[in-house]
Amino acid sequence: MNTIPVGPDHMRSQYKAASCDRFDLQCVFLPMSPCVISNNDLENGTEISKEAYNSFLKTGKLDDELDKAKVLTLGGFGYKDKEPFLLREKYVNLISSLYDENLHKNKNSNVAWRVDKEILDKVKEVITNEKYFPDDVALHYMLRPNLAAKQERIIDKVVPADFNPGSSIGLAIRASDKCGRESQCMPFSNYTQLIREFAKKRSLTRTGDNTTNTTLYDTVVLTSESKEMMVGRFAYTEKNGFPFRFVVNDEDVAQGSGKPGKFYENEGAVTPDRVMLSSLTAVKMQMLSESTVLNGCSSFHKIMSSLLKMGCGRSKNNYMEFLGMNDNPEFRLRCT
């Protein structure tokens, strides 16, 4: 919660990545909960102590007094250093309680998708054993955009009618303020050579045929917060021998920074809401391709990686590679 008139100070501050009248998360994302808390409830809420919070992390339970409270508020110490005890077990129990095996066995039953017990057991196994599963679940839930209609309009406009995920490579470039401070960077010309080599490698992996230079790829989905990177593509066209077409969002504001506090420093009509729309649209565009190249020094790109790993991409079997893993040492950008 943020930008509210009552409650702890850290809940009253404005959300820096928003510029709508609310100045809060709901300018960009859907509400965290369908529940609506009144100002009175929040003002009279019970603040959980650091000791009680740590106890909750260890046991997965609140004491009786806190458990009865209608509203709990958490101070600035509430950053997760480990997941709450029994959290995964509760996920599994919830899913099991919702699953009706007979309903899914019956071919005439009306279910959105049919799940047999073998698939359900695999889901439970992932929940139980995947190291970052709770973080991924929270991420996917929190990133439900309140800008979906605007995103869809942009995607429909920029993605060609003949777009094929299987013949496209996603290239997300993090540059601008990242360069030198947190990551090595390279000119756009290096990225074009990287794409040539990457397409050749992926084509060989998929076909097993090393007797031809024919590539399975003809499209590059390009996103970046850097105008320099976005306009760099104009020097690489089919006319001058570049064999790939670029799919880009021409409405992307390319704000040149990953810091929300910098969003208001842009000139003209580039508002934080427009920056967030561009950023979330970039995430959605990078879900389109069969193969994807990302910068492992970027937290934003790690979000894309998490979504791809969890199966949110359009391609059933996405291959994702960070620049630090590239076969060519020239392209292995290091974090600084």
Side-chain angles (χ1 to χ4, degrees):
M1 299 181 66
N2 57 279
T3 323
I4 51 179
V6 298
D9 289 342
H10 65 274
M11 291 186 179
R12 301 187 191 191
S13 60
Q14 293 183 354
Y15 182 51
K16 292 181 179 179
S19 54
C20 75
D21 292 340
R22 299 176 61 102
F23 284 103
D24 67 2
L25 279 168
Q26 289 186 50
C27 291
V28 183
F29 302 105
L30 292 175
M32 294 292 178
S33 167
C35 301
V36 178
I37 302 174
S38 69
N39 289 342
N40 183 63
D41 287 337
L42 189 58
E43 195 167 23
N44 295 308
T46 302
E47 184 166 356
I48 186 171
S49 69
K50 187 174 183 178
E51 293 73 24
Y53 175 74
N54 289 333
S55 175
F56 171 68
L57 289 178
K58 292 178 182 179
T59 65
K61 298 179 180 179
L62 296 168
D63 63 38
D64 290 342
E65 183 179 348
L66 290 174
D67 195 38
K68 293 176 182 177
K70 183 177 181 180
V71 175
L72 295 176
T73 60
L74 189 63
F77 58 80
Y79 294 102
K80 182 185 74 64
D81 53 1
K82 64 178 181 178
E83 66 185 64
F85 183 62
L86 300 178
L87 177 66
R88 295 172 187 249
E89 182 179 324
K90 289 180 179 179
Y91 276 133
V92 170
N93 290 341
L94 176 61
I95 292 173
S96 297
S97 69
L98 297 172
Y99 180 71
D100 185 335
E101 186 175 358
N102 292 326
L103 186 66
H104 286 262
K105 280 183 176 180
N106 184 355
K107 295 182 179 180
N108 296 320
S109 60
N110 184 23
V111 291
W113 60 85
R114 208 164 299 284
V115 179
D116 59 33
K117 192 172 184 305
E118 182 180 356
I119 293 176
L120 183 67
D121 289 341
K122 288 181 179 179
V123 170
K124 291 179 180 179
E125 183 180 348
V126 169
I127 294 173
T128 304
N129 300 316
E130 179 65 35
K131 184 177 180 180
Y132 297 109
F133 178 80
D135 302 87
D136 291 334
V137 169
L139 173 68
H140 295 180
Y141 183 78
M142 292 172 65
L143 287 181
R144 296 167 302 131
N146 206 5
L147 308 164
K150 295 179 180 179
Q151 278 185 292
E152 289 302 322
R153 178 189 61 78
I154 294 173
I155 295 293
D156 289 343
K157 178 180 176 181
V158 305
V159 178
D162 62 347
F163 180 83
N164 178 8
S167 62
S168 68
I169 296 172
L171 175 61
I173 301 177
R174 183 69 171 90
S176 60
D177 62 334
K178 200 77 169 177
C179 301
R181 186 171 58 87
E182 295 180 35
S183 171
Q184 294 177 321
C185 292
M186 59 187 180
F188 191 78
S189 58
N190 284 35
Y191 283 104
T192 60
Q193 182 57 33
L194 179 153
I195 287 296
R196 291 176 186 269
E197 296 178 11
F198 186 77
K200 183 178 180 180
K201 179 181 78 169
R202 289 294 300 144
S203 297
L204 175 59
T205 299
R206 291 172 62 185
T207 65
D209 183 3
N210 60 1
T211 64
T212 177
N213 288 324
T214 302
T215 177
L216 298 177
Y217 300 91
D218 57 19
T219 301
V220 175
V221 178
L222 173 65
T223 61
S224 178
E225 87 298 337
S226 166
K227 286 185 179 179
E228 180 184 356
M229 294 294 113
M230 293 293 275
V231 301
R233 74 185 190 276
F234 293 124
Y236 296 88
T237 64
E238 189 176 350
K239 289 182 180 179
N240 58 21
F242 191 66
F244 308 95
R245 65 176 174 179
F246 287 105
V247 172
V248 300
N249 172 18
D250 287 323
E251 296 183 29
D252 195 302
V253 298
Q255 73 278 4
S257 175
K259 294 182 177 180
K262 298 283 186 180
F263 294 175
Y264 273 111
E265 296 179 10
N266 293 280
E267 298 179 357
V270 180
T271 63
D273 284 0
R274 284 194 63 202
V275 174
M276 292 301 290
L277 174 60
S278 295
S279 300
L280 292 172
T281 301
V283 172
K284 191 157 188 175
M285 288 179 67
Q286 291 304 340
M287 298 298 108
L288 298 175
S289 303
E290 183 274 339
S291 294
T292 312
V293 179
L294 303 172
N295 186 337
C297 303
S298 167
S299 297
F300 183 51
H301 287 198
K302 288 178 180 177
I303 290 175
M304 297 180 188
S305 169
S306 173
L307 293 170
L308 288 169
K309 287 179 179 177
M310 293 294 284
C312 295
R314 182 178 291 187
S315 178
K316 184 178 181 180
N317 298 304
N318 172 271
Y319 173 82
M320 186 279 300
E321 184 173 289
F322 286 123
L323 290 171
M325 302 160 50
N326 194 272
D327 294 340
N328 188 337
E330 185 179 359
F331 305 141
R332 292 178 197 156
L333 299 188
R334 303 299 181 189
C335 305
T336 57

